Amino acid sequence: MSDPAAEQGRSPVGVHPAAGRRANSTTRRNGTAGANATARANGTARANGTARANGTARANGTARGNGTAAHANGAGHRGHTASPWPAIPAEVAGQLQPMLPKVVEEMVAEIHASVAEYARPGDGSYEHAVRRGAEEAASQFIARIADPGASSGQADEVFRRLGAAEASEGRSLEALQAALRAGARVALRWLTHASQWMDAPLETLSLLAEALFVFLDEIAALSADGYAQAQAQVAGELQRRRRRLVGLLLAEPPAAVEAIDEMTRLAQWRQPRQLSVVVLTGRQPPGSPVPALPAEVLADLDRTPPVLIAPDPYGPGRRDMLDRGLRGFQCAVGPPVGLREAPKSLHWAREALTLAEQGVFGDYSIIHCDDHLTDMVLRRGGDLLDRLGARRLAPLKDMAPGRQDMLAETLLAWLETGKSSGVASRLFIHPQTARYRLHKLQDLFGEQLDNPDARFELALVLRARHTGPQSRRP
């Protein structure tokens, strides 16, 4: 029986007569797999297409894109980096177009069946989003065949928005990538089926399969780009809200409770029972290292001075966490206070840094105010403390500075230990020397040493004198 296709001057698969007279079996004997076998064997298009068996030119005698004839030896070989789109006959787009509605329906069904995250019966908006993505992908694929150089900016934005939607819902990209693969499987099945009746050269299915996987990579990259941009935007907005929350917590006069509660919710921050404000020395220039602390620690490093707000600073293991994260920074950790008292913690942390700059704490890196409360209270007395010292230490004022220091040191040791042996041990002197100095102090201060109020005031001024950067002599 005669072959109708052969009588019309072409092979059953639409190959040019000059090339179509060979039998498929000849092609396979020469080592070239049929188009369907190639696609099904490895699931991807071969990088250089399917080699022609007898080396004849393609149906139109030219390669699309550059208009040159096929290679003389008939390999029809394309380089590994060449795009598959120009090599696909443009008329294939018109032949595939009628398939589009059914392909989209099957894509949507396949995605719902294979990707659990997208199976949402009754969710109309989600159904619309999945269908829109499938329609856009199929339409754009056909449009690229018809005109490989056409702009795809609008379609690209669709896939970026798909990635952004995944980020906004708090999911990873795995579900979207699985949906793209599911759609590609459906498309490959339809392309394989269409190759059996399309009026196109033999290697067209291989080129279409290659183009499909190139296209899959492109839209996956666009989705990932949209996902990353959305994540960065969300992270940036969250950081802005947290800096705003820092400002509200430290505001004086205090911000409204409702404003703090609302910003706490927007900043996704759990209100702690207590918090400490950490003040760093100096403004941090752009690109400077930042403290390596958990996300729950609020930060505003653009503030002057830079500040952190550490929730529950002295809970189990929390102090060690702060010390490790702040290593390498000079800073002060304010005393723990309630949420509404954050400005007090800020005030004391700044006060501690001021005293540190005056040398009160010697060499320092991290100052915990709770470790230095007595020194801070004494030093904060300022002029009043100097006045009290001048009055209580008046008996020493006419002595030489060295003798003043010796007797002041002895008096403080006695006030803190209560006995001469304690003084000798504290000051590393002979007990007899300690007793001699105490007798001298008794002669100088007289009844003050028997008066509890006077002794308390003496202890205050002597302690302040002892911890100052320089001795405060009366």
Side-chain angles (χ1 to χ4, degrees):
M1 175 180 285
S2 61
D3 188 334
E7 290 175 359
Q8 296 173 13
R10 63 179 177 83
S11 72
V13 292
V15 182
H16 191 277
R21 296 190 184 97
R22 72 191 182 285
N24 286 343
S25 60
T26 303
T27 302
R28 293 186 177 94
R29 282 198 303 273
N30 289 340
T32 303
N36 289 348
T38 302
R40 291 179 182 131
N42 57 17
T44 59
R46 285 173 32 190
N48 61 355
T50 305
R52 300 296 302 275
N54 62 2
T56 57
R58 291 177 49 190
N60 59 5
T62 60
R64 288 183 64 211
N66 59 12
T68 58
H71 291 159
N73 64 3
H77 186 84
R78 295 187 299 110
H80 285 283
T81 59
S83 169
W85 302 104
I88 303 172
E91 57 269 19
V92 169
Q95 298 176 48
L96 294 176
Q97 187 68 40
M99 301 164 44
L100 192 60
K102 291 185 178 180
V103 172
V104 169
E105 290 296 332
E106 190 170 331
M107 281 182 174
V108 172
E110 181 80 8
I111 291 170
H112 286 165
S114 59
V115 185
E117 289 87 342
Y118 292 165
R120 297 190 179 185
D123 189 338
S125 62
Y126 218 79
E127 172 76 20
H128 174 75
V130 172
R131 182 174 298 278
R132 174 71 192 283
E135 289 174 347
E136 194 64 43
S139 298
Q140 178 64 15
F141 182 76
I142 293 177
R144 290 282 290 278
I145 295 173
D147 184 3
S151 173
S152 59
Q154 184 175 356
D156 292 352
E157 191 59 31
V158 171
F159 299 113
R160 287 193 181 95
R161 286 200 299 269
L162 286 174
E166 295 298 292
S168 65
E169 294 202 13
R171 289 196 298 265
S172 71
L173 272 177
E174 293 179 2
L176 180 57
Q177 291 170 347
L180 294 176
R181 291 192 295 269
R185 289 196 301 270
V186 172
L188 185 58
R189 286 199 298 267
W190 278 85
L191 291 174
T192 303
H193 174 71
S195 69
Q196 299 174 15
W197 52 263
M198 279 194 308
D199 185 11
L202 177 64
E203 70 270 22
T204 298
L205 176 60
S206 175
L207 294 170
L208 285 170
E210 182 179 355
L212 176 64
F213 290 109
V214 168
F215 184 65
L216 179 63
D217 286 343
E218 290 175 358
I219 61 178
L222 289 168
S223 301
D225 183 48
Y227 186 90
Q229 289 180 9
Q231 276 197 321
Q233 184 176 1
V234 169
E237 180 61 27
L238 188 63
Q239 287 305 315
R240 284 191 291 273
R241 290 172 178 174
R242 292 193 164 198
R243 284 196 296 271
R244 175 61 179 151
L245 178 57
V246 170
L248 290 176
L249 290 173
L250 300 180
E252 290 187 287
V257 175
E258 295 78 7
I260 292 177
D261 290 344
E262 176 63 11
M263 190 53 64
T264 298
R265 183 186 65 80
L266 292 174
Q268 300 176 24
W269 191 66
R270 181 184 62 82
Q271 291 190 5
R273 186 177 61 85
Q274 286 191 315
L275 58 80
S276 279
V277 178
V278 182
V279 178
L280 282 66
T281 57
R283 186 179 178 88
Q284 304 299 301
S288 299
V290 298
L293 294 167
E296 65 193 21
V297 177
L298 302 177
D300 186 353
L301 301 182
D302 294 329
R303 190 183 177 101
T304 304
V307 297
L308 309 168
I309 294 182
D312 301 319
Y314 295 137
R318 305 286 290 178
R319 175 162 175 161
D320 289 342
M321 176 270 292
L322 279 175
D323 289 346
R324 287 194 303 271
L326 294 169
R327 187 173 296 133
F329 293 86
Q330 287 187 320
C331 59
V333 182
V337 295
L339 189 73
R340 301 286 294 166
E341 298 178 313
K344 293 183 179 179
S345 185
L346 170 65
H347 171 77
W348 281 108
R350 297 182 72 166
E351 184 80 13
L353 284 182
T354 299
L355 294 176
E357 291 170 358
Q358 296 173 1
V360 171
F361 305 120
D363 293 334
Y364 76 97
S365 175
I366 303 171
I367 302 167
H368 290 267
C369 289
D370 268 10
D371 295 345
H372 304 280
L373 290 178
T374 301
D375 292 337
M376 293 179 66
V377 169
L378 292 176
R379 297 295 299 175
R380 196 168 184 243
D383 293 341
L384 291 177
L385 193 62
D386 288 342
R387 183 176 179 82
L388 179 63
R391 181 159 63 91
R392 287 299 177 190
L393 298 179
L396 304 179
K397 71 175 182 178
D398 294 331
M399 294 183 178
R403 187 163 178 79
Q404 279 189 28
D405 292 341
M406 179 191 70
L407 290 176
E409 183 180 45
T410 303
L411 180 55
L412 178 60
W414 177 75
L415 290 169
E416 291 181 343
T417 63
K419 49 187 177 181
S420 61
S421 59
V423 172
S425 177
R426 170 80 65 86
L427 301 181
F428 301 102
I429 57 177
H430 193 277
Q432 182 63 34
T433 303
R435 287 193 290 271
Y436 169 79
R437 292 184 185 177
L438 291 174
H439 285 306
K440 181 65 177 177
L441 289 168
Q442 184 68 51
D443 293 339
L444 290 170
F445 288 89
E447 293 181 355
Q448 286 192 67
L449 300 185
D450 298 322
N451 185 309
D453 290 337
R455 289 168 59 175
F456 175 75
E457 291 177 357
L458 280 169
L460 282 179
V461 296
L462 288 170
R463 180 66 183 268
R465 186 177 189 273
H466 179 72
T467 59
Q470 295 179 340
S471 295
R472 294 187 174 197
R473 296 188 176 90

